[in-house]
Amino acid sequence: MVIDTVIFDPGDRLIYPYVIASRSFFTDNNRYLFNFNDFDHTLEKIDLDKLELVDKYPFEKEGPNGTGEYVDYLVSVDPDKLLIQTSSQAGIFNWEGKKIRDFDPLLEGTSLMDFDRKVFQPFMTQKELIFGQVSNNSSNTYEVGFYDRTLEEFSNIPLAEAFRHGDFNLVHINGNSRRSYAPYVTMQPHFSQNKMVFGSSVSSTLYFFDPQTRQLAKKECNVSLTANEKKGVYRLETEDETVFQRSYVALWEEVTFGPLLWDAETERYFRFYYELSYVGEHPSGRFPTPVSTAVYLMILDKELNLFNEFSIPQLTNIPYFSFAKDGKIWIFENIEDELGFVRLSFEL
């Protein structure tokens, strides 16, 4: 394995040094990364081949074309449209920053901040379909959902029961505040672009989904370096912080699985999975911080057959944002307040 690091040239403008998956996207060939900049409220276009900032698209926070204060989710809907969602509103915008219409496919009719409502958290588009997670705030659970822009219909894809998501649901109540953990769903277009692939942070198992037939097909991906799923049961709602933190640590010390990364160059999928380790006391009011991370990588063919896996001791943190391009895996890293990536390349 070869590891190198790249840093992007911002030219005479500042480039945002953080990348979050829910508010960034790529062109189809992964040539350009589009990433939202909180400092100046712009969408940045970044050339991944030349490692430089290409352009900035400004948006307004308030007024009739306002996105809201902080962008939580950003999805490219069409070549000329963007879906932007904040904690209080969501809308379809053009690249000039004009708001075309509001977007609330669940038709709740209340603020996205309303604790008792369900919220659609958009993730990606496939043709006329917008896929995302459906977050049920009151039950602290997630499902997959998609909105058909042609039919203007919303559908749910029940996966929480298949992944035992009810067994991994932690809530700490402290007066009027809440801290919680719930498993998340991962999603990725299949290489054929006619299907989707769904997974979960708690299991190595994957599911094919055909939007035309609305059918799910299960795909086992049995790994040998760790367990295939979290084994314990962590159903908890408590005011006792010590009990909450103890359960949180136990849950994260079991294996956790990341999203699939598709590389068109090698026609391979990559998927990180990892186990965390904790020691000592944990500060009050915060999530416990791990002292070490064991990172593993599985490699699958385009039909999701597992053919290799190995540990990566060189990685000591969870690769929160990563993607595959030209046979390499790129992992985001803030390098002295500059946008950078650690790149992994290896023989397949």
Side-chain angles (χ1 to χ4, degrees), residues 85-90 103-121 134-141 154:
Q85 183 168 307
T86 67
S87 61
S88 60
Q89 62 187 32
F103 182 80
D104 185 3
L106 299 184
L107 300 177
E108 293 281 337
T110 59
S111 169
L112 299 180
M113 299 180 71
D114 190 316
F115 179 76
D116 292 326
R117 71 162 287 171
K118 293 181 180 180
V119 178
F120 178 63
Q121 301 168 331
V134 181
S135 172
N136 187 330
N137 294 333
S138 59
S139 64
N140 195 36
T141 57
F154 186 84

Side-chain angles (χ1 to χ4, degrees), residues 195-328:
K195 296 180 181 180
M196 294 288 291
V197 182
F198 299 135
S200 167
S201 58
V202 304
S203 174
S204 64
T205 298
L206 299 166
Y207 282 86
F208 290 105
F209 176 70
D210 188 330
Q212 291 186 332
T213 64
R214 307 292 176 93
Q215 296 297 308
L216 284 165
K218 187 176 183 179
K219 181 70 175 181
E220 300 282 3
C221 299
N222 295 319
V223 296
S224 62
L225 300 179
T226 67
N228 287 311
E229 63 179 5
K230 294 183 185 294
K231 299 295 186 180
V233 176
Y234 307 90
R235 289 193 293 266
L236 180 68
E237 184 169 322
T238 181
E239 296 181 359
D240 189 322
E241 182 172 29
T242 300
V243 172
F244 174 82
Q245 290 187 330
R246 187 183 303 124
S247 297
Y248 183 89
V249 165
L251 185 149
W252 276 99
E253 286 185 332
E254 291 202 58
V255 63
T256 300
F257 295 87
L260 284 172
L261 313 174
W262 168 250
D263 180 35
E265 176 74 17
T266 61
E267 295 191 334
R268 295 286 187 264
Y269 284 102
F270 304 97
R271 192 183 191 189
F272 287 112
Y273 54 114
Y274 40 87
E275 298 169 314
L276 308 185
S277 297
Y278 300 79
V279 296
E281 299 295 324
H282 309 296
S284 176
R286 290 159 48 187
F287 287 105
T289 302
V291 295
S292 64
T293 305
V295 181
Y296 309 92
L297 180 70
M298 65 176 79
I299 304 177
L300 307 97
D301 65 20
K302 60 185 180 181
E303 298 300 337
L304 301 181
N305 297 304
L306 176 65
F307 71 88
N308 200 358
E309 58 177 321
F310 46 87
S311 64
I312 309 179
Q314 297 92 332
L315 296 183
T316 57
N317 296 297
I318 297 174
Y320 283 109
F321 180 89
S322 54
F323 64 94
K325 172 180 167 60
D326 301 332
K328 297 182 178 182

Side-chain angles (χ1 to χ4, degrees), residues 17-19 320-322 330-334 338-342:
Y18 299 97
V19 185
Y320 283 109
F321 180 89
S322 54
W330 298 49
I331 303 170
F332 160 72
E333 184 167 332
N334 180 303
E338 298 285 350
L339 177 63
F341 283 87
V342 173

Side-chain angles (χ1 to χ4, degrees), residues 61-90:
K61 294 182 180 180
E62 300 177 350
N65 293 314
T67 63
E69 180 69 24
Y70 180 83
V71 172
D72 294 307
Y73 299 93
L74 170 70
V75 175
S76 174
V77 178
D78 286 319
D80 60 345
K81 296 184 183 67
L82 300 164
L83 168 56
I84 299 176
Q85 183 168 307
T86 67
S87 61
S88 60
Q89 62 187 32

